[in-house]
């Protein structure tokens, strides 16, 4: 087979350009909507929306919801729903906050600033998240209680478990190392950002051409070589462009002077430094890679999508769908714990209202990203893009001066509209 072979008859070039690239039309639609949204907000805010500073803030604000949205893809793909993710995040946050400010110092004698404190507290949060998620999955899979009811109850139960764990108090400030995962308190700087960006760009290009070679070796149809090169170029430009924008956001002079004074040094004349990639964004990238590998390259991922597409046939083929449900909700719990690390570290403390309404944002992100509520269809990158669209919408409205209640009205309306679009799209495509 020729290296440039394309299946099917050749159509007119102008009409067939995107089909030759074999890009997901839903993905293109989401990217187009995101670009339009950014341009509109940039216009109404007199150019303040697309500044490096706002893009930096937007990226760290998106991370927590985006991490949970990747897990919500698996939940919805298996024809379930999880309304408790915001409350579960709050419980995990409370567990980690109490572990590092009370339990470890008081019970184990580990003083504040001990190097083990942040890691033990993160482990405690992960254990709590996985245990609660697995318990939800057990109730759904083995006891036959509908996921809507289990997680609706969990929305109330775990929110107030978090309240009782902390006696309703704000707990903080959290450990300094722990705060690195929050955003502005933890960034890679210019040099390491470029290094990581270069590695990511190279990995993206290698992945695209490796997939091409695998298809050719199995005699599957492939895109023309120019189309592969164009897609690889777009991926590299997007990655390096994002890094360049974040590297353009300079640390304020007052913050630099404070850091130099803390070191007992005088800041050199004209010295400047930039934030670079936030550590929280790096965590999101790592989660996205792992979840994508699980979805596409593992038996667990194949079982998840098979169970969502046809549960009866999957069970008849020997798959334990009840245990599969436990695993899916345990993964969701682990991701809620990771999101709790990012969210509480960004705030530098645990608060009672942390994660409030996150269930709405997470479900909306997954649905806007193309996850079908009927099950069997969804992508990790779509959910992350959906989270970015949701956060851009909220941030843009906040910059324009829209009140918070109206912001939630718009978010709810967008969720309903996204589901309607999904229904119309599947009617047209026959999915």
């Amino acid at each position: 087979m020729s290296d440039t072979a394309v299946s099917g008859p050749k159509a007119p070039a102008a009409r067939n350009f995107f089909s030759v690239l074999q890009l997901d039309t839903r993905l293109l639609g989401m990217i187009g909507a995101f670009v339009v949204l950014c341009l509109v907000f940039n216009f109404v805010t007199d150019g303040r929306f697309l500044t490096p500073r706002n893009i930096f803030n937007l990226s760290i604000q998106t991370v927590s919801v985006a991490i949970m949205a990747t897990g919500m893809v698996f939940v919805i793909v298996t024809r379930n729903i999880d309304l408790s993710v915001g409350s579960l995040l709050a419980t995990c946050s409370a567990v980690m906050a109490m572990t590092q400010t009370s339990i470890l110092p008081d019970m184990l004698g580990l003083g504040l600033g001990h190097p083990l404190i942040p890691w033990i507290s993160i482990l405690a949060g992960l254990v709590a998240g996985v245990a609660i998620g697995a318990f939800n999955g057990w109730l759904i899979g083995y006891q036959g209680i509908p996921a809507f009811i289990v997680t609706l109850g969990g929305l109330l139960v775990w929110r107030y478990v978090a309240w009782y764990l902390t006696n309703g108090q704000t707990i903080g400030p959290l450990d300094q190392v722990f705060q690195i995962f929050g955003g502005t308190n933890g960034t890679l700087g210019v040099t390491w950002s470029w290094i990581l960006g270069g590695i990511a760009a190279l990995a993206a290009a290698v992945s695209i051409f490796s997939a091409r070679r695998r298809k050719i070796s199995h005699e599957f149809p492939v895109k023309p070589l120019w189309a592969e090169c164009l897609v690889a170029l777009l991926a590299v430009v997007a990655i390096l462009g994002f890094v360049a924008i974040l590297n353009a956001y300079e640390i304020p002079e007052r913050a630099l002077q404070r850091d130099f004074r803390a070191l007992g040094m005088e800041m050199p004349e004209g010295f400047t430094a930039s934030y670079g990639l936030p550590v929280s964004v790096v965590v999101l990238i790592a989660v996205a890679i792992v979840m994508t590998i699980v979805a596409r390259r593992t038996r667990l991922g194949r079982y998840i999508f098979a169970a969502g597409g046809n549960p009866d046939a999957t069970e008849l083929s020997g798959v334990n769908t009840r245990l599969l449900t436990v695993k899916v909700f345990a993964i969701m719990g682990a991701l809620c714990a990771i999101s709790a690390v990012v969210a509480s570290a960004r705030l530098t403390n645990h608060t009672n209202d942390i994660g409030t309404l996150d269930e709405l944002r997470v479900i909306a992100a997954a649905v806007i990203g193309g996850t079908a509520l009927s099950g069997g269809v969804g992508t990790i990158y779509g959910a992350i893009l959906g989270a970015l669209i949701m956060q851009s919408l909220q941030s843009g409205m906040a910059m324009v001066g829209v009140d918070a209640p109206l912001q939630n009205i718009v978010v709810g309306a967008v969720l309903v509209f996204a589901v309607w679009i999904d229904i119309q799209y599947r009617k047209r495509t026959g999915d």
Side-chain angles (χ1 to χ4, degrees), residues 184-206:
T184 52
N185 291 319
T187 57
L188 299 186
V190 173
T191 302
W192 280 106
S193 296
W194 279 123
I195 291 173
L196 185 62
I199 293 172
L202 180 62
V206 169

Side-chain angles (χ1 to χ4, degrees), residues 120 199 205 239 265 304 376 418:
I120 294 175
I199 293 172
I239 293 169
M265 301 168 60
I304 288 171

Side-chain angles (χ1 to χ4, degrees), residues 16-287:
N16 208 35
F17 176 73
F18 289 111
S19 62
V20 170
L21 292 178
Q22 296 180 19
L23 296 176
D24 184 356
T25 53
R26 288 183 61 90
L27 175 64
L28 293 174
M30 286 189 293
I31 293 174
F34 176 62
V35 170
V36 170
L37 184 69
C38 290
L39 292 176
V40 169
F41 279 130
N42 195 56
F43 175 77
V44 298
T45 58
D46 298 324
R48 289 182 292 117
F49 188 81
L50 291 179
T51 60
R53 175 182 178 181
N54 192 58
I55 292 174
F56 178 90
N57 291 330
L58 187 63
S59 66
I60 62 176
Q61 291 165 358
T62 302
V63 170
S64 178
V65 168
I67 289 173
M68 290 189 289
T70 65
M72 189 62 73
V73 171
F74 284 2
V75 171
I76 297 178
V77 160
T78 54
R79 304 188 181 187
N80 290 301
I81 199 73
D82 194 341
L83 302 176
S84 66
V85 290
S87 299
L88 181 49
L89 181 152
T91 296
C92 293
S93 174
V95 167
M96 289 185 286
M98 294 304 294
T99 298
Q100 62 186 274
T101 61
S102 179
I103 296 174
L104 291 178
D106 294 346
M107 295 185 178
L108 300 182
L110 298 181
L112 293 177
H114 192 283
L116 291 179
I117 282 182
W119 309 111
I120 294 175
S121 64
I122 290 173
L123 179 61
L126 283 169
V127 170
V130 171
I132 294 170
F135 178 65
N136 286 343
W138 178 77
L139 291 175
I140 296 163
Y142 284 90
Q143 302 304 310
I145 306 174
F148 181 87
I149 299 300
V150 171
T151 58
L152 179 61
L155 184 151
L156 298 173
V157 170
W158 302 116
R159 172 64 57 184
Y160 290 101
V161 166
W163 192 91
Y164 277 110
L165 285 173
T166 62
N167 291 320
Q169 299 176 347
T170 296
I171 306 299
L174 301 178
D175 183 86
Q176 291 293 322
V177 174
F178 185 87
Q179 292 182 29
I180 289 175
F181 295 98
T184 52
N185 291 319
T187 57
L188 299 186
V190 173
T191 302
W192 280 106
S193 296
W194 279 123
I195 291 173
L196 185 62
I199 293 172
L202 180 62
V206 169
S207 175
I208 290 170
F209 289 107
S210 295
R212 177 185 180 84
R213 285 196 299 271
R214 284 196 300 272
K215 288 181 180 180
I216 293 173
S217 66
H218 291 90
E219 298 186 349
F220 289 153
V222 294
K223 307 173 191 175
L225 185 57
W226 67 264
E228 298 279 19
C229 292
L230 180 58
V231 172
L233 178 63
L234 291 174
V236 169
V237 169
I239 293 169
L240 296 183
F242 178 64
V243 173
I245 291 172
L246 294 187
N247 281 343
Y249 180 31
E250 294 186 350
I251 303 174
E253 185 178 346
R254 286 178 298 177
L256 288 175
Q257 290 176 340
R258 184 176 62 247
D259 292 341
F260 272 95
R261 282 198 299 269
L263 296 172
M265 301 168 60
E266 189 72 25
M267 190 176 83
E269 184 88 23
F271 179 84
T272 60
S274 298
Y275 285 107
L277 276 172
V279 173
S280 59
V281 173
V282 177
V283 171
L284 172 59
I285 294 170
V287 168

Side-chain angles (χ1 to χ4, degrees), residues 402-413:
V402 177
D403 292 336
L406 183 55
Q407 291 180 30
N408 289 326
I409 290 173
V410 172
V411 170

